[in-house]
Amino acid sequence: MFADRSRLIPKVPPIVREPMRLGQVPIPSRFFLAPLAGYTSLAFRLAVRECGGLGLATTDLVNARSLIEGRRRAFELAETCEQDRPLSIQIYGMKIDEMEQAARLVAEQEASAVDINMGCPVRKVVKTGGGSALLCQADRAAELVSAVVKAVSIPVTVKMRLGWDDESLTAPGLARAFEQAGVAAVIVHGRTRQQGFKGSVNRAGIRAVVEAVERIPVVANGDILTITDAAATFEETGCAAVSIGRGALANPFIFRQLDCWARTGEPGIEPSFEQRLELMRRHFYGLIARRGEHYGCLQFRKILKWYYHFTGMSKSFYLRLINLSSPAFFDLVIAEVEAAGPESPLPGHYEFHVPVPSGAIDKW
């Protein structure tokens, strides 16, 4: 998922060179890391930040009630540190008092912003009245957002989809209401809840949101896998920034490349084989440090197929790492990977697949 130098590098939109703020928080670039449940952990965020170019990262979505009740898993998802800045902690729920309390806890974590999730299509979130369900309750959604804005002094943003389905594209009207309530920005995934992750992003739908607000930035999300995708998204939507999820999993160096492109018009030097392995090490040991050997290895195995393609390692090494159970075994195999070098030419192209629920959308 790296720049194809045989293709013309797109022209840099002027906006990407302009400074950006969320409220009073300066954001170093207009290229954001989107939350992906189970993938964009603190360990991954820190590894990506060291590559350079990242503007704002957002945590996995956190259940507001779980955060209030002090559940371990909620605080693991919201975990951050001084090096993980600027950061937005994303919360979801439908009870106003719980969302207010959770937002205050987020502020106590010294996050840069709190993000309200109104985009998640998964049933366990929607059935509680959170996530995409709020797209169908405009008055309730605006009341909730207004309450959260008043509850904290840090910026509040809202992540949402275009609407529940193609017959109810509510995002433009909601964005206007949220702006009046005082949000610092809205992030729009250019699909409906009914689409899930199928089909293509509707950039015209995102543009309608951009045109519906007066002053707050609109951040576009969805189908941004390359510099060409980012340039087209800026041009076709008029957005203020782009938020990248699966594209960042396939290529964690995409933020460095986008930042270089924004400054020079070129994506810069491709990451070397050694740099890819070093990123892999940082990510792995970040998980071990925060989750311990057992759970750290389990989480790392979940994304191993991505690293297999990302590094170009031999399939025999990949098959050995599937049974990863200790840092010692990891070090042994990676030393052999490094000595052998990549099996396939670099840079390679791999469109990373993030598993999503299958079956009827109403069962998500």
Side-chain angles (χ1 to χ4, degrees):
M1 203 64 59
F2 301 92
D4 182 352
R5 294 183 184 277
S6 67
R7 298 172 62 188
L8 180 67
I9 302 300
K11 184 178 179 181
V12 179
I15 193 171
V16 304
R17 290 175 171 154
E18 297 175 8
M20 182 177 184
R21 288 179 175 269
L22 283 183
Q24 297 303 310
V25 179
I27 306 298
S29 85
R30 292 175 182 262
F31 312 117
F32 298 0
L33 174 63
L36 283 171
Y39 294 91
T40 49
S41 63
L42 175 58
F44 180 74
R45 297 196 304 269
L46 291 177
V48 170
R49 287 184 188 278
E50 289 192 34
C51 297
L54 179 60
L56 175 76
T58 302
T59 66
D60 286 4
L61 73 168
V62 184
N63 185 297
R65 178 187 286 275
S66 295
L67 203 58
I68 295 164
E69 293 175 349
R71 295 184 183 178
R72 178 182 59 83
R73 181 58 178 157
F75 279 92
E76 285 179 356
L77 293 173
E79 182 182 13
T80 184
C81 65
E82 187 176 349
Q83 294 75 33
D84 188 31
R85 300 288 185 275
L87 176 76
S88 181
I89 295 180
Q90 186 180 83
I91 59 175
Y92 77 91
M94 58 84 64
K95 294 185 177 180
I96 291 176
D97 61 332
E98 290 181 353
M99 290 292 281
E100 289 173 325
Q101 292 180 61
R104 293 188 189 102
L105 290 172
V106 165
E108 290 174 8
Q109 289 282 91
E110 298 184 355
S112 310
V114 56
D115 186 50
I116 300 172
N117 183 290
M118 293 189 189
C120 182
V122 178
R123 191 183 186 192
K124 71 175 183 179
V125 174
V126 173
K127 72 179 182 180
T128 67
S132 296
L134 285 165
L135 296 173
C136 303
Q137 305 173 58
D139 292 343
R140 176 73 173 179
E143 183 184 3
L144 184 151
V145 168
S146 178
V148 172
V149 168
K150 293 173 183 175
V152 294
S153 59
I154 61 175
V156 174
T157 62
V158 177
K159 170 73 179 292
M160 61 182 173
R161 288 181 170 237
L162 294 178
W164 187 262
D165 55 31
D166 288 337
E167 303 304 314
S168 57
L169 299 179
T170 54
L174 286 170
R176 282 194 298 271
F178 298 157
E179 181 176 40
Q180 292 170 3
V183 300
V186 292
I187 303 97
V188 184
H189 181 91
R191 291 181 173 89
T192 64
R193 194 268 179 178
Q194 187 180 56
Q195 276 184 273
F197 292 94
K198 295 179 180 178
S200 299
V201 157
N202 178 358
R203 290 177 180 155
I206 299 176
R207 174 168 282 280
V209 179
V210 172
E211 294 173 348
V213 299
E214 293 183 3
R215 62 188 182 281
I216 62 170
V218 174
V219 182
N221 171 238
D223 291 358
I224 301 167
L225 306 175
T226 64
I227 288 175
T228 300
D229 295 334
T233 300
F234 277 109
E235 179 180 356
E236 294 178 29
T237 69
C239 66
V242 292
S243 182
I244 305 171
R246 284 172 288 179
L249 291 176
N251 173 16
F253 288 88
I254 192 170
F255 301 104
R256 184 180 80 177
Q257 294 170 336
L258 283 165
D259 184 60
C260 184
W261 167 70
R263 290 181 289 103
T264 70
E266 293 287 337
I269 300 172
E270 301 289 355
S272 67
F273 177 65
E274 291 74 20
Q275 287 175 322
R276 298 170 196 227
L277 289 183
E278 181 55 33
L279 171 72
M280 186 177 178
R281 289 190 184 97
R282 289 200 306 268
H283 188 180
F284 173 74
Y285 275 103
L287 288 172
I288 295 299
R290 291 167 179 86
R291 298 291 175 262
E293 287 193 16
H294 177 68
Y295 288 106
C297 287
L298 285 178
Q299 287 190 22
F300 193 78
R301 281 155 56 179
K302 179 179 179 181
I303 56 169
L304 188 57
K305 189 174 183 180
W306 159 49
Y307 276 118
Y308 164 51
H309 290 275
F310 178 62
T311 63
M313 70 172 71
S314 165
K315 190 172 183 179
S316 63
F317 293 129
Y318 164 68
L319 293 175
R320 288 171 64 189
L321 286 169
I322 284 175
N323 298 312
L324 176 65
S325 60
S326 71
F329 185 73
F330 175 85
D331 289 340
L332 174 67
V333 176
I334 295 306
E336 295 179 20
V337 171
E338 191 164 22
E343 184 178 62
S344 58
L346 297 177
H349 177 89
Y350 177 54
E351 191 161 317
F352 185 67
H353 172 67
V354 178
V356 296
S358 59
I361 187 71
D362 63 346
K363 301 301 181 186
W364 279 33

